[in-house]
């Protein structure tokens, strides 16, 4: 009997298994000249599949024209704004793509607006698949979103080349993401990572680029935006779920970070 040699790569398997896409909001819309928003912080990435009309995407660094036959990316972590003076028809997805077990988002270091050619016929098929009720269509739509994300990453591959993190920082990130609440303290995180507060703070700042407190607040605001986009919870319920003492303090912190209140965010920042 001939033996077969199986070539295995456990690191690749773990990497593939850690990949996931979360869609917090999506829809097909024909927007008029009321579709406009100054650049504001967003904890998710936006994919715009533009089928008709024209408009503009804005960041705090650049402006990009929206034209039919292209898919556009506004990456998470950057400020995003938009407007049209006429109309623009598009299919949009608000996405977070996790690429590692510590919860790193693929686009958090992308740093710029981007666009790729995408046929209008394919956009129509994607729209039909998304709006339909067929599980096969939904599976195809998800695969297409993965493919589009991969295409954007291939245009800027260095954005996901992060330095290796120490075991203490990895444990800290894991604990923060699984115990995320406004009441979470640096001391609690340090104890979970089996480290002193001062040592962990130094390592975290060096390896992540921001303080532990900033990282916690950034994740909380990202999660708050996703919950607001989901439309299933009231602002009061979101405030309680995220561990704020009351809705008014949550709204105050949310406005400090994004520039608008949670209510304004729901009304003006959903597409």
């Amino acid at each position: 009997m001939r033996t077969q040699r199986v070539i295995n790569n456990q690191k690749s398997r773990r990497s593939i298994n850690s990949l996931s896409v979360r869609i917090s909001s999506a829809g097909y819309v024909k927007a008029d000249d009321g579709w406009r928003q100054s650049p504001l912080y967003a904890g998710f990435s936006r994919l715009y599949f533009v089928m008709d009309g024209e408009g503009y995407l804005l960041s705090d660094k650049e402006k990009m024209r929206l034209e039919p036959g292209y898919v556009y990316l506004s990456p998470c972590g950057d400020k995003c704004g938009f407007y049209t003076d006429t109309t623009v028809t598009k299919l949009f997805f608000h996405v977070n793509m996790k690429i590692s077990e510590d919860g790193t988002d693929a686009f958090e270091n992308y740093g710029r607006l981007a666009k790729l050619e995408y046929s209008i016929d394919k956009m129509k098929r994607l729209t039909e698949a998304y709006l339909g009720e067929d599980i096969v269509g939904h599976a195809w739509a998800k695969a297409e979103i993965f493919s589009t994300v991969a295409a954007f990453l291939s245009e800027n591959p260095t954005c996901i080349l992060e330095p290796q993190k120490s075991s203490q920082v990895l444990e800290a990130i894991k604990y923060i993401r699984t115990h995320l609440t406004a009441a979470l303290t640096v001391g609690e995180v340090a104890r979970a990572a089996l480290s002193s507060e001062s040592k962990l703070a130094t390592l975290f700042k060096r390896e992540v680029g921001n303080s532990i407190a900033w990282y916690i607040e950034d994740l909380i605001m990202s999660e708050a935006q996703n919950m607001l986009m989901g439309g299933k919870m009231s602002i009061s319920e979101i405030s309680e779920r995220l561990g704020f003492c009351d809705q008014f303090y949550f709204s105050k912190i949310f406005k400090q970070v994004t520039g608008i209140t949670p209510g304004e965010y729901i009304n003006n920042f959903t597409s």
Side-chain angles (χ1 to χ4, degrees):
M1 180 182 295
R2 179 181 297 178
T3 59
Q4 295 183 345
R5 184 186 174 205
V6 178
I7 300 175
N8 189 18
N9 188 327
Q10 294 185 6
K11 184 177 180 180
S12 292
R13 187 174 70 250
R14 287 195 300 270
S15 176
I16 291 170
N17 286 337
S18 70
L19 297 175
S20 65
V21 169
R22 177 184 180 184
I23 300 173
S24 55
S25 184
Y28 171 79
V29 62
K30 182 175 182 179
D32 58 20
D33 59 7
W35 184 69
R36 58 184 63 243
Q37 176 66 64
S38 299
L40 297 173
Y41 170 82
F44 50 81
S45 298
R46 295 168 180 269
L47 295 175
Y48 285 164
F49 296 82
V50 178
M51 286 170 255
D52 191 27
E54 66 174 17
Y56 291 90
L57 267 182
L58 311 170
S59 71
D60 55 356
K61 297 171 284 191
E62 58 183 321
K63 175 180 177 180
M64 181 174 286
R65 185 181 178 188
L66 299 175
E67 301 175 276
Y70 290 90
V71 55
Y72 295 83
L73 167 73
S74 174
C76 74
D78 283 5
K79 290 186 176 181
C80 175
F82 45 76
Y83 73 91
T84 180
D85 292 322
T86 53
T87 62
V88 60
T89 302
K90 59 188 172 62
L91 177 66
F92 71 88
F93 295 95
H94 297 171
V95 303
N96 290 97
M97 182 171 181
K98 189 177 76 168
I99 57 172
S100 65
E101 293 179 355
D102 67 7
T104 299
D105 190 286
F107 291 110
E108 61 186 41
N109 296 311
Y110 203 85
R112 60 180 174 85
L113 302 175
K115 71 176 185 178
L116 295 169
E117 288 190 43
Y118 198 99
S119 76
I120 293 177
D121 286 342
K122 201 171 182 181
M123 288 185 196
K124 291 178 179 178
R125 182 186 173 192
L126 181 57
T127 302
E128 291 174 359
Y130 168 70
L131 296 177
E133 298 182 358
D134 177 22
I135 188 64
V136 175
H138 293 165
W140 179 84
K142 185 171 184 178
E144 194 60 24
I145 292 169
F146 258 113
S147 177
T148 302
V149 165
F152 276 117
L153 291 176
S154 69
E155 293 288 307
N156 187 14
T158 58
C159 75
I160 56 176
L161 298 179
E162 291 191 281
Q164 290 293 107
K165 296 183 177 69
S166 63
S167 59
Q168 293 101 319
V169 169
L170 288 173
E171 281 299 316
I173 290 173
K174 181 179 178 180
Y175 188 85
I176 290 168
R177 288 184 177 274
T178 55
H179 296 80
L180 188 61
T181 171
L184 185 60
T185 66
V186 175
E188 182 182 345
V189 175
R191 287 191 294 274
L194 302 178
S195 176
S196 68
E197 289 188 38
S198 59
K199 180 180 179 181
L200 182 62
T202 300
L203 287 173
F204 203 95
K205 178 70 174 179
R206 182 169 68 228
E207 297 177 17
V208 178
N210 287 290
S211 70
I212 298 172
W214 182 95
Y215 187 82
I216 292 171
E217 182 179 88
D218 182 64
L219 285 183
I220 287 174
M221 289 298 103
S222 294
E223 187 64 18
Q225 290 176 77
N226 285 331
M227 289 179 175
L228 289 167
M229 294 302 97
K232 296 180 179 179
M233 300 172 67
S234 68
I235 295 174
S236 177
E237 289 171 331
I238 293 172
S239 171
E240 182 177 356
R241 174 73 65 85
L242 293 175
F244 287 88
C245 57
D246 58 55
Q247 174 182 336
F248 304 104
Y249 183 63
F250 165 65
S251 296
K252 177 183 177 181
I253 298 300
F254 189 91
K255 186 172 183 178
Q256 286 178 357
V257 174
T258 66
I260 56 176
T261 67
E264 291 171 332
Y265 191 90
I266 293 171
N267 292 333
N268 302 330
F269 215 46
T270 57
S271 62

